[in-house]
């Protein structure tokens, strides 16, 4: 009971929130297992090239990213349960159709439609999570809403790999079961709805939100900047083994997850801007020191500091959004803002590869430090502008 009291959400809303998390998690598990594991392993049997599978993933991801504004609007009008059931059903048809009739245009078309169907789920889940947060714990609630979703993607990769390598037929059944459960859970959550706004959006209320659009792009861009280069850097430049890298990543992730409950108190109690600036300064320092190619012990220490910075930044960023987004149109606006975040996530890896070719192996980390400092300047200007207001 004491543990429940420490959670950042109101206790009476926990069953609904858990149902939404499980529904969205099952869909994330399914598509990571389907696109990243099952299809590459089964490409020859299905007559699909890896280039086509990669293109389908790009089409699926961009369809989801660009549809999130519309998805946020629909989830506010139709409710999370209905759009979740539709997303699970479309995913189930995509998997079955691709396996039974592996046609190029059918594959690309269903991947596109599935991306559009999924687009409403994250805005709906995050909006509900912010709405049922305990007053004064909004930043921590949003941070943990993000963190609790991440393991489902990894679980899809792990389960997909296990079944594909050991029980190939079981891989399909696992996908069908997960998507079928997601559809049923969506139907079970039909009562979970956002209040329908009585008035249209006042454009004057959107002006403060426009100020953080560049930062929405930059913070997801920063998270994916190292996707293409981190393995090569740690193996060829730092000379780490796989297990050394896993330990470092596990340390950073554990510190970020556990630390969010502690460091997330700062933005909830003191305001989000200054904790965000501090976390970005710390991240800039971490990236700068990693660029110096540290020893493994030093690298572990930097991963620990990076986890602390991330545990502060995520609650601060989400606390800022909760304060800025009007509650009656939050799902719609949040979905639109996620389009910008999706563009940042899509372009980050390409820029990381360019910086590697242009500046050498340390280039992406110098670039990451520069982006953090640019965000610091932006936030300090925002804080200064607010301080000048009477």
């Amino acid at each position: 009971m004491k543990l429940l009291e420490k959670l950042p959400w109101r206790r009476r809303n926990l069953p609904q929130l858990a149902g939404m998390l499980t529904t969205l998690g099952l869909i994330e598990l399914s598509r990571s297992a389907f696109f990243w594991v099952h299809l590459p392993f089964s490409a020859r049997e299905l007559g699909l090239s890896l280039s086509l599978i990669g293109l389908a993933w790009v089409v699926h991801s961009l369809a989801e990213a660009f549809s999130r504004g519309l998805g946020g609007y629909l989830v506010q009008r139709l409710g999370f349960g209905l759009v979740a059931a539709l997303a699970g059903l479309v995913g189930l048809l995509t998997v079955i159709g691709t396996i039974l009739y592996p046609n190029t245009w059918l594959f690309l078309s269903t991947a596109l439609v599935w991306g559009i169907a999924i687009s409403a789920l994250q805005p709906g889940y995050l909006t509900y999570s912010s709405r049922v947060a305990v007053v004064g714990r909004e930043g921590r609630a949003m941070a943990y809403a993000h963190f609790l979703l991440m393991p489902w993607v990894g679980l899809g990769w792990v389960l997909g790999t296990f079944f594909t390598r050991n029980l190939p037929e079981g891989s399909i059944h696992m996908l069908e079961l997960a998507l079928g459960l997601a559809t049923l859970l969506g139907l079970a959550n039909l009562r979970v709805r956002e209040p329908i706004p009585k008035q249209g959006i006042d454009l004057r209320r959107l002006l403060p939100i426009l100020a953080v659009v560049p930062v929405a792009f930059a913070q997801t861009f920063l998270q994916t900047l190292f996707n293409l280069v981190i393995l090569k850097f740690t193996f060829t430049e730092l000379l780490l083994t796989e297990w050394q890298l896993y330990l470092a990543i596990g340390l950073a992730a554990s510190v970020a997850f556990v630390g969010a409950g502690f460091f997330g108190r700062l933005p909830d109690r003191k305001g989000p801007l200054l904790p965000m600036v501090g976390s970005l300064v710390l991240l800039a320092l971490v990236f700068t020191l990693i660029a110096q190619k540290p020893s493994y012990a030093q690298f572990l220490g930097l991963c620990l500091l990076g986890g602390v910075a991330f545990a502060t930044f995520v609650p601060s960023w989400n606390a800022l959004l909760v304060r800025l987004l009007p509650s009656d149109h939050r799902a719609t606006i949040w979905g639109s803002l996620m389009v910008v975040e999706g563009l940042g996530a899509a372009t980050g890896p390409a820029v990381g590869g360019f910086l590697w070719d242009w500046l050498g192996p340390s280039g992406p980390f110098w670039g990451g430090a520069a982006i953090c400092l640019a965000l610091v300047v932006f936030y300090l200007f925002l804080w200064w502008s607010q301080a000048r207001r009477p």
Side-chain angles (χ1 to χ4, degrees):
M1 299 298 290
K2 291 184 178 180
L3 178 61
L4 292 178
E5 293 175 358
K6 293 181 180 180
L7 291 176
W9 301 284
R10 295 195 293 265
R11 189 184 304 181
R12 66 176 182 273
N13 300 111
L14 288 178
Q16 292 85 355
L17 185 64
M20 296 172 74
L21 170 63
T22 305
T23 304
L24 181 54
L26 286 169
I27 291 177
E28 292 289 352
L29 178 154
S30 301
R31 66 174 180 167
S32 67
F34 181 61
F35 283 104
W36 299 352
V37 182
H38 179 79
L39 288 179
F41 273 102
S42 307
R44 180 176 298 178
E45 291 80 358
L46 296 173
L48 304 175
S49 67
L50 290 179
S51 298
L52 177 62
I53 295 170
L55 177 61
W57 172 254
V58 171
V59 168
H60 174 81
S61 301
L62 290 180
E64 179 192 10
F66 284 111
S67 301
R68 277 181 169 168
L70 174 63
Y73 175 84
L74 290 177
V75 79
Q76 196 154 18
R77 266 40 181 199
L78 303 178
F80 179 88
L82 186 59
V83 295
L86 178 63
L89 182 60
V90 172
L92 190 60
L93 294 175
T94 300
V95 170
I96 294 174
T98 304
I99 300 304
L100 296 181
Y101 188 64
N103 173 272
T104 297
W105 292 111
L106 177 63
F107 178 38
L108 291 176
S109 300
T110 53
L112 173 71
V113 175
W114 194 15
I116 296 173
I118 289 175
S119 66
L121 300 187
Q122 281 209 35
Y125 164 66
L126 293 176
T127 299
Y128 186 80
S129 177
S130 67
R131 187 164 61 83
V132 302
V134 175
V135 176
R137 301 182 187 177
E138 292 87 354
R140 281 167 282 176
M142 299 311 303
Y144 278 117
H146 281 287
F147 289 152
L148 290 172
L149 192 57
M150 292 178 183
W152 291 91
V153 179
L155 184 60
W157 185 82
V158 171
L159 289 178
T161 302
F162 172 80
F163 280 109
T164 302
R165 293 178 65 89
N166 298 285
L167 299 168
E169 294 183 359
S171 177
I172 302 298
H173 297 318
M174 184 267 291
L175 290 169
E176 293 172 342
L177 176 62
L179 291 167
L181 285 175
T183 304
L184 293 176
L185 280 174
L187 294 174
N189 284 305
L190 288 177
R191 293 185 178 180
V192 179
R193 303 179 63 91
E194 291 298 316
I196 297 178
K198 299 179 180 179
Q199 297 178 344
I201 301 177
D202 185 352
L203 295 180
R204 291 174 296 180
R205 299 172 68 188
L206 298 182
L207 292 178
I209 301 170
L210 294 178
V212 299
V213 167
V215 187
F217 176 90
Q219 57 101 11
T220 52
F221 174 89
L222 191 63
Q223 292 176 35
T224 60
L225 182 65
F226 311 103
N227 281 10
L228 289 181
V229 301
I230 187 64
L231 291 179
K232 187 174 181 180
F233 182 83
T234 53
F235 291 152
T236 63
E237 302 298 322
L238 301 186
L239 304 178
L240 303 187
T241 66
E242 285 188 41
W243 286 107
Q244 286 178 321
L245 177 60
Y246 295 155
L247 176 61
I249 293 174
L251 175 65
S254 300
V255 171
F257 184 81
V258 176
F262 177 77
F263 296 105
R265 298 178 183 179
L266 295 175
D268 284 336
R269 296 178 179 178
K270 305 296 183 181
L273 286 179
L274 290 183
M276 194 178 302
V277 167
S279 64
L280 288 168
V281 170
L282 184 56
L283 276 177
L285 176 64
V286 168
F287 292 147
T288 301
L289 293 177
I290 291 178
Q292 311 302 316
K293 301 178 184 179
S295 66
Y296 182 59
Q298 293 169 335
F299 183 68
L300 284 178
L302 292 174
C303 288
L304 189 151
L305 290 178
V308 171
F310 199 67
T312 308
F313 176 81
V314 174
S316 301
W317 166 248
N318 285 290
L320 180 64
L321 289 183
V322 169
R323 294 187 182 201
L324 288 178
L325 301 185
S327 58
D328 48 350
H329 293 279
R330 185 169 293 172
T332 303
I333 301 174
W334 211 318
S336 302
L337 201 58
M338 282 183 175
V339 175
V340 181
E341 293 180 342
L343 292 175
T347 54
V351 175
F354 169 76
L355 290 174
W356 178 291
D357 292 335
W358 182 36
L359 300 174
S362 296
F365 297 95
W366 290 117
I371 292 169
C372 287
L373 292 178
L375 292 177
V376 167
V377 172
F378 178 86
Y379 279 123
L380 285 177
F381 173 77
L382 195 63
W383 176 76
W384 176 76
S385 299
Q386 286 189 351
R388 290 188 61 191
R389 294 175 183 174

